[in-house]
Amino acid sequence: MKNDTRKEGFSQGIGRWLGTAEVYAGSGRFLGNATDRRHVQKQVDTNRIRIDLSFVGPLKFAGHYFIEDHTEYRLYQGPANTGFAETLSSGLIDANAYWPVTGLTQRFYLMILPDGDKQMSLGLMSRGEKLIYVVVGEYSRVTGEYDGIPSLVNGTSYDLADDPAAGRGEVLIQREGQWTGELSTLDADLAPLDATQYQETITKKDIGLDLTISGTAFAPGTQSTTLQTNQWETWSAPGNFVGSYSMSGGRALSGNFHFLDEQLRVWRREVVSHDGSIKSVLHTWYRGGMRVGVQFGILSYTEERDTEVHGEGMEKSGGE
């Protein structure tokens, strides 16, 4: 089903938001929580939005910036944040920006969940090409006088920095089980294509795990690979479906996979919710350096695996 909500702009973000971000080092190790408050206001009689924010944690900054909204894209006009964001839907932006107050470049996506009152985000903060911080955010809309208490994992960075699961007991992003859901699909020009039913199955092995996926719009059929992991990074064995990703607290990942038969690469960015029940995904597809499409959405987790569809030894199929 095609549904182009970009014409609405990123319209759901107006209001006050409160969350507790988790801040990780570029290595994926937990540094600490940060309280993140944002007030998003539409400017009267203009296409500009003002963002007032306070972010206090292992890194801290406060101030405001303006966004000039062109519906299908947004310009971040400073002073606290400058850059450009593509509006992928009315509830999702993909941004490249620079925070002068920190000297950090940010690759960032922000997704509003279907209920309209929660957001999930992933910020990759670099200086030059060096990844310094990964900021994993989960926010709630503030609708009354009482802000509430954001979710967090109790503990100290002294203890949790050496824990790949950051105090949650397991690496959520690659638990054994299944992630399923509908992914919206856009072409190279971000025009809508038919959505797909996506499924990702993880099976634990003595060393590493098996990953099987189906429902990608750009590499049809079922794809499988064997992965090794040290709980901070994960990488594949040789084959036709190969790649690697890094993890932050076992809750977020960023990395690239190559589909050699299709001559395509996908940049995967994903964040699991605090309770581990869902994850937001943004998959950007490339041929060389040229974008060929995007898939995004919310996947739900279940411990059960569909062994009829994804049994052991499943070979790559030729099509849907």
Side-chain angles (χ1 to χ4, degrees):
M1 176 176 146
K2 300 177 182 179
N3 184 19
D4 190 0
T5 64
R6 291 189 306 143
K7 295 178 180 178
E8 305 169 22
F10 189 65
S11 56
Q12 302 179 49
I14 302 299
R16 295 170 59 218
W17 297 87
L18 171 67
T20 299
E22 294 176 359
V23 182
Y24 298 90
S27 63
R29 284 162 170 76
F30 181 76
L31 296 177
N33 287 105
T35 301
D36 191 351
R37 296 176 181 269
R38 298 170 187 258
H39 188 195
V40 184
Q41 307 168 75
K42 176 77 173 172
Q43 300 292 283
V44 178
D45 298 326
T46 73
N47 66 336
R48 294 223 300 176
I49 298 165
R50 175 172 171 141
I51 313 286
D52 291 271
L53 80 157
S54 171
F55 188 98
V56 181
L59 70 158
K60 57 185 184 296
F61 46 89
H64 74 277
Y65 59 96
F66 293 94
I67 296 174
E68 188 173 282
D69 189 1
H70 292 264
T71 306
E72 295 181 352
Y73 67 92
R74 324 178 100 202
L75 302 176
Y76 296 176
Q77 299 182 320
N81 185 16
T82 60
F84 180 93
E86 292 181 302
T87 304
L88 303 184
S89 79
S90 61
L92 174 63
I93 57 164
D94 184 14
N96 288 272
Y98 180 68
W99 294 85
V101 292
T102 64
L104 295 172
T105 295
Q106 181 186 48
R107 294 174 296 164
F108 174 74
Y109 84 79
L110 175 66
M111 184 180 293
I112 297 179
L113 302 191
D115 67 4
D117 290 327
K118 289 189 180 297
Q119 298 177 345
M120 295 174 71
S121 66
L122 179 63
L124 307 176
M125 314 288 288
S126 303
R127 185 162 290 157
E129 295 298 321
K130 182 178 181 180
L131 182 62
I132 296 179
Y133 297 111
V134 178
V135 181
V136 180
E138 187 166 332
Y139 310 99
S140 297
R141 190 188 298 273
V142 177
T143 56
E145 293 184 2
Y146 177 59
D147 288 344
I149 300 173
S151 300
L152 54 80
V153 175
N154 293 324
T156 70
S157 58
Y158 179 84
D159 299 308
L160 300 182
D162 293 326
D163 178 4
R168 288 188 165 86
E170 60 181 334
V171 174
L172 297 179
I173 205 79
Q174 52 188 32
R175 289 168 293 173
E176 187 165 58
Q178 225 168 46
W179 296 96
T180 57
E182 183 178 88
L183 294 186
S184 298
T185 305
L186 308 175
D187 67 13
D189 298 318
L190 302 184
L193 301 172
D194 289 336
T196 66
Q197 292 297 322
Y198 181 87
Q199 183 170 289
E200 177 180 305
T201 303
I202 295 173
T203 305
K204 292 288 184 68
K205 304 185 70 174
D206 291 339
I207 300 177
L209 49 96
D210 286 337
L211 170 67
T212 301
I213 64 171
S214 64
T216 69
F218 304 100
T222 300
Q223 317 277 347
S224 296
T225 189
T226 297
L227 301 172
Q228 300 178 57
T229 184
N230 60 12
Q231 307 303 311
W232 305 102
E233 298 95 24
T234 299
W235 60 98
S236 75
N240 292 319
F241 170 37
V242 295
S244 65
Y245 56 80
S246 57
M247 293 175 286
S248 299
R251 188 177 162 216
L253 70 78
S254 177
N256 287 269
F257 278 83
H258 301 263
F259 295 78
L260 301 187
D261 289 346
E262 288 78 16
Q263 301 175 10
L264 293 175
R265 167 177 61 90
V266 59
W267 178 25
R268 293 177 50 161
R269 285 175 285 173
E270 305 178 357
V271 174
V272 177
S273 61
H274 278 298
D275 64 7
S277 63
I278 61 172
K279 69 174 175 179
S280 67
V281 306
L282 175 56
H283 295 170
T284 307
W285 290 78
Y286 298 90
R287 177 166 284 116
M290 181 178 297
R291 182 174 63 194
V292 299
V294 180
Q295 288 196 283
F296 61 88
I298 300 294
L299 303 179
S300 298
Y301 173 75
T302 177
E303 292 183 4
E304 297 179 0
R305 289 174 291 132
D306 185 353
T307 55
E308 290 186 10
V309 176
H310 297 303
E312 293 184 6
M314 173 68 73
E315 298 292 330
K316 174 187 166 182
S317 66
E320 293 279 6

